[in-house]
Amino acid sequence: MKLFTTVLFLIIFVNVICENSQNIDYQIKLINFYLNEGEFDNAIIYADSAMQQTEYLDSLNYFKATAFKAKQDWENAAVFFGNAILKSSDEQFINKLIPEYKDNLAKLSIVKSIEINANLLKEIETSKWQIMFMEIMAELYEKINLLEEANDVYKTILQFEFLEQPLEIEMKIIQNLILLKNYEEALFTLQIVFVAQDSIYIQDALYFDYLANYALTNFAVAKASLLKLHCDFPQHPQKYEILKGLSDIFSKEKIYFVAWYFLEEMYEISNKYQKIEIEMQMIELKNKILNDSLKFDYFENFELHLPQCGGEIYFTE
């Protein structure tokens, strides 16, 4: 009787184990157990065995990606983080996965990253996540200086009706156009941004407008953009370059004292190496002022009113 009871117990126990092996909750707990114990190969094996549970594909791909990441297998980690994004409908979960996907791609060669991203793109149905993968593709092209190819991708993105931030994409196109020295097209595209009057992009748009117009020797237009930047965006991240541009343009216009004024502003925010360069420019401007001193006295007759700050630059009689 005792033997019969023992055998019966073993049969029931085995049946319970078999039933649990088909239970996705049990399998997920088992996968998590192996991940926590550092048994990553076992975690991958059990994740693979549970893949027929299609409603859990996002989690199972995530577990596999996590295991591969722990094994420092960046390629497979990127692939399965990407698969997890494709299989998920949970936006909060996807937002957690995106930086993981990008981080693991970044550890690979650009060529391998492009290959993985391209393969994932082929599997995506039209959605905003398609836009994300396309943006990543454009950024990968930019890293190897394929700027025209990157812009082709950005222009394709602009065709999606559900694109939430088209101006952000336009600004990326403009930046690449300037790097490609395609200044005319950059200025044409900038008009889209200026017409939209979106305060988020206006300071960068003005800076790009300055760069393009300066390169085309449209100094008056470049100066107008710089003065607006100087007055409206005093904490602009490119403040030093803005002041440098203003000093340079006023020097070209032979308005040397105004050029000096902006050099002094540059001096206040410059490092020790920049200070040496600025001091040399000041000496050069001083000589130009002295050479012109027979024409008029800069220091006696000059009054400064910055145009975009409510006045204009002029000389008093």
Side-chain angles (χ1 to χ4, degrees):
M1 184 67 180
K2 186 174 181 180
L3 178 61
F4 174 80
T5 303
T6 302
V7 171
L8 182 61
F9 174 81
L10 288 172
I11 292 170
I12 293 171
F13 178 77
V14 170
N15 285 335
V16 169
I17 293 296
C18 289
E19 288 177 7
N20 278 339
S21 67
Q22 301 302 316
N23 184 295
I24 188 63
D25 291 331
Y26 170 79
Q27 289 174 303
I28 286 176
K29 288 178 182 177
L30 193 59
I31 294 165
N32 272 313
F33 168 78
Y34 283 127
L35 286 173
N36 291 332
E37 291 297 312
E39 297 185 29
F40 304 118
D41 289 330
N42 282 332
I44 292 167
I45 290 169
Y46 277 92
D48 279 333
S49 69
M51 283 293 181
Q52 69 273 17
Q53 304 287 344
T54 55
E55 67 271 27
Y56 292 92
L57 286 178
D58 55 348
S59 295
L60 294 169
N61 276 285
Y62 170 72
F63 292 140
K64 286 190 69 174
T66 302
F68 280 120
K69 178 182 176 182
K71 287 163 61 70
Q72 297 188 351
D73 183 342
W74 314 122
E75 180 178 344
N76 276 312
V79 168
F80 287 103
F81 277 126
N83 284 339
I85 293 170
L86 297 187
K87 303 301 181 184
S88 182
S89 58
D90 183 338
E91 188 164 337
Q92 187 174 359
F93 184 50
I94 291 172
N95 287 331
K96 174 184 175 182
L97 295 171
I98 291 170
E100 290 281 9
Y101 174 67
K102 289 182 175 181
D103 287 346
N104 283 276
L105 275 187
K107 294 180 172 70
L108 302 171
S109 70
I110 296 296
V111 173
K112 178 57 67 174
S113 297
I114 290 173
E115 179 187 333
I116 291 171
N117 203 68
N119 288 336
L120 288 168
L121 265 170
K122 293 175 185 177
E123 300 180 31
I124 305 176
E125 297 179 2
T126 302
S127 72
K128 68 177 181 179
W129 305 118
Q130 185 177 15
I131 292 175
M132 182 207 75
F133 281 102
M134 291 182 74
E135 282 194 66
I136 291 172
M137 184 65 78
E139 290 165 4
L140 290 170
Y141 283 142
E142 288 170 340
K143 286 183 179 180
I144 52 177
N145 211 35
L146 294 176
L147 302 182
E148 292 181 353
E149 288 78 359
N151 274 3
D152 287 341
V153 176
Y154 287 135
K155 289 173 183 177
T156 301
I157 292 172
L158 287 172
Q159 296 174 17
F160 286 98
E161 294 181 358
F162 47 82
L163 179 62
E164 295 177 357
Q165 298 291 341
L167 290 183
E168 181 179 345
I169 302 300
E170 296 283 10
M171 292 296 288
K172 291 180 178 182
I173 291 172
I174 292 163
Q175 181 171 333
N176 286 338
L177 288 171
I178 289 175
L179 291 171
L180 288 165
K181 299 183 179 181
N182 192 343
Y183 303 117
E184 295 284 1
E185 188 176 347
L187 290 172
F188 179 82
T189 310
L190 271 167
Q191 295 311 306
I192 298 171
V193 181
F194 287 131
V195 168
Q197 296 184 333
D198 191 323
S199 59
I200 295 174
Y201 303 105
I202 191 64
Q203 68 171 348
D204 288 334
L206 283 167
Y207 190 73
F208 289 149
D209 189 67
Y210 146 64
L211 291 175
N213 277 297
Y214 187 94
L216 293 170
T217 67
N218 299 328
F219 297 126
V221 182
K223 181 175 71 175
S225 293
L226 285 174
L227 286 169
K228 188 166 181 62
L229 283 166
H230 178 260
C231 296
D232 293 355
F233 303 98
Q235 303 305 319
H236 194 284
Q238 301 295 332
K239 182 175 181 178
Y240 184 89
E241 295 301 323
I242 290 167
L243 294 171
K244 185 176 181 181
L246 283 167
S247 178
D248 181 61
I249 291 174
F250 278 109
S251 181
K252 288 179 184 297
E253 295 176 339
K254 297 185 179 182
I255 309 177
Y256 300 126
F257 191 60
V258 183
W260 183 293
Y261 169 84
F262 288 115
L263 282 178
E264 287 188 332
E265 283 204 31
M266 286 170 62
Y267 197 85
E268 292 177 6
I269 62 171
S270 61
N271 60 43
K272 63 179 182 180
Y273 302 106
Q274 292 168 331
K275 280 181 168 60
I276 295 171
E277 181 182 353
I278 293 168
E279 287 167 359
M280 292 176 65
Q281 292 175 17
M282 285 179 165
I283 292 171
E284 183 180 345
L285 279 180
K286 181 180 179 181
N287 290 332
K288 289 179 178 179
I289 291 171
L290 290 173
N291 289 337
D292 277 2
S293 61
L294 295 177
K295 300 177 183 178
F296 48 82
D297 188 335
Y298 279 88
F299 294 90
E300 180 179 348
N301 297 325
F302 180 79
E303 291 186 12
L304 177 64
H305 301 270
L306 295 178
Q308 300 300 328
C309 301
E312 58 183 339
I313 296 173
Y314 59 89
F315 291 93
T316 58
E317 296 297 332

